[in-house]
Each structure stands twice: as C-alpha cells, then as structure tokens.
Amino acid sequence: LPYSNFHTEARKRLKEEDIVAVIASGRPFQSFAIGHKLKKEFDVLWIPDYRDEWNTHQNIGDQNFIERKIQRLMRKSELKWTSNADFFLTVSDTWVDSISAFIKKDGKAVYNGYVELKEPKSSAEPSKKLIITYAGTLYPTQNLSLFLGACISILSKKELDFEVRFIGANVIPEEELKIRQRIKGHESNFVFYDRMPKEELHQFMTETDVLYLTGFENIKGWYPVKLFEYYAEGKPLLLCPSDNDVMESFIRKTNIGHIANSEKECEEIILSLINQKMTGQKLKYERNTEYGQTFNREYQTSNLAKLIHEKL
C-alpha cells in the first residue's frame, strides 16, 4: 500500500497513547485495510468512514472483462476490510442502507455540513446586473443544457443585463469546452475563472446574486459538499435540473432558493430574478435556520462524538 506509513504511525500512537477509536476515511478505500489490521491488534473501535460509495456505487457503468475482474477483487477487499468493523459512517441515509446491505454492518450518517462564514467586506459598488455563479468542478453526470438553454433564450429575446460566472470549470477541460460550444454568440455574458482559494472565493461571492447548482444523473442520496458551501454563503440557490431527491428536499426545507426542471421554468425564474435586481429588490429569503443549523459541522461533529460514546 502507498499508505503503509499511516499504518506504522498509527501502531506507534496506539501503543503509546490512550486511543479508543480508529476511523479510516475513504477514498482512498485502501485505507480501510489499515483500520482492519489495527482492529485485529488493538482493543479499539474500528469505524470505516465512506465519503463516497465504493462497490455499491450507483453509477459504475459498463465494464470490460478486466474491469469486471478488478471489481470482483475490490468487492472481496471491501467485505474483508470491514468484516471486523464495529459500525460504519457515511454522508447520506440512502448510502447507509445500500452499504449496510452489502457489508452486513450497522451504519450511521454524519453529513459533510458547512462552516459558519463571516460576512466579507466589499468596497466594490454593487453591480446593477444579475450575477449567477457556479463554483467548482463540472462532471459528465451533470446536465447543464436546461440552464444554458434558458440563459441563451433570454439573451436572444431581450437586451437584459445579466452574467453567468463559472469558477473552476476548467478542471475537466472537456466539460468547459461543452459550455463554450453551447454559448457561441453570447460569450460576453459568460465569464470563466480558474479555481481560487476558499478565502478569495468567499470574498468573490460578495458580487454574486444567485448560486447555480445542478443534480447528478443516476445518483441518489448524494448531498454534494457544494450544497453546504453554497448555503454558508447566504445567497439564493438555483437548482436546475433537480435531483428529485435530497438536494431538492434540503432547498425546500431551508427555503433557500428555486428549483427548475425545464428550460421554460428556469427562464421564468431567471427573468423574475433579473426584474427583482433591476427594481432594487433584495433577493435574500427568510431561511429556515432551525433546520439548516442541523447541518452545521459543529452539530454534525457532536453527533459523531455521541455515536462513538454510545459504542464504548
């Protein structure tokens, strides 16, 4: 294993210190092998922490002969390395059920959550144009066609002043290229930025009116970290298309934005937001902070501590 030094260091600490639990976080899932070994040698709780699904992943897709063979080996590895686990963690209740059915262990959900952010100071004059921002990597399983189609439809009909910003879309160049090909003729209304440090991004968000989010095809139960990062920014969200699942539920329960499942719906929402901005109305909403607070990382860490305490 390329992580064998983790095993060496962990053994040393377990011998010298009063440690009651070992949590190995995957990916990389090979780190589960270390937890498995440590459990056999020491009297500690062994807790695999699935940040993603492994062999129960919903979007594995078609595989050739070699890939299927590797998949069988990985299934054996997952079952072996979790066989002596006390329980497991993951980031979604849906994934708790699927992983538990496979490895035959109890599991608990501890969500990724968000960190409270301080309002950054901005010396810039507020823009009169509506600014919609997508921040982060774009993946092939994300469908931007409805959103881009709505934007182009608006730009084709009226002289309306709004801008769409993509931050970090070039991480997977093919995905950025798809956008650039789709927006030909309207390039001046779309701006692309490289990835930026979190503090710089947080400052950048002061100019943003709406944060764009899209569901992932054929994947259920997934709360992307971006959902919580957007929530922490305090800006309205636009989910298009919806995942028809946990992302939509979070947005509705926290009352933090809009959901569109067609180009027409998306266009109507954007036009409404442009009108609000042009007439000087605030785009913020009365959030359900009581529900939202349960996804605060401090709250989630408290849940984790309780789970460990219950098992000791």
Side-chain angles (χ1 to χ4, degrees), residues 118-137:
K118 292 181 180 179
E119 188 75 28
K121 294 180 181 179
S122 177
S123 57
E125 282 291 320
S127 173
K128 292 183 179 179
K129 73 174 86 173
L130 182 79
I131 298 174
I132 303 173
T133 298
Y134 179 92
T137 306

Side-chain angles (χ1 to χ4, degrees), residues 28-47:
F29 292 114
Q30 287 79 4
S31 63
F32 286 4
I34 298 170
H36 174 73
K37 289 180 181 179
L38 294 172
K39 176 66 176 181
K40 289 201 295 185
E41 187 174 355
F42 299 94
D43 183 23
V44 290
L45 290 178
W46 154 220
I47 309 166

